[in-house]
Amino acid sequence: PVLTLQPLLENAIHHGIEPNPLGGVIQVRLWEDGETLHIAVTNPLPRRKTKAGDAPRGGHTLDNLRQRLISHYGEAARLATNENRDRFTATISIPTRGGNPCE
């Protein structure tokens, strides 16, 4: 669907690059496996904030994108996230055929 990659990149910049005074690198990978397209966006994890009153990381962008994928592809689509040491990865898997072609 339209605007699938943009929210992932904006989320990576907002939560991974902006809080880090040294910046960072965002990795984007796209690959096809059979009839499934995979998109993975990986960004650095900022150091955890410990001050009182700091807001936790929001998941609204990913939840919204997950709902859009389900609406478009049903259970054939998936959005998975993974934190590994100092990196965060969001991976989308969608069928190369199917879904609503009007979206």
Side-chain angles (χ1 to χ4, degrees), residues 28-33 36-41 91-93 96:
V28 179
R29 291 184 52 223
L30 289 94
W31 71 98
E32 198 171 350
D33 179 20
T36 303
L37 175 66
H38 304 276
I39 303 168
V41 176
T91 304
I92 292 177
S93 301
T96 55

Side-chain angles (χ1 to χ4, degrees), residues 8 39-43 62 79-82 88-92:
L8 287 178
I39 303 168
V41 176
T42 301
N43 59 269
L62 297 177
L79 189 155
T81 60
N82 182 43
F88 177 85
T89 302
T91 304
I92 292 177

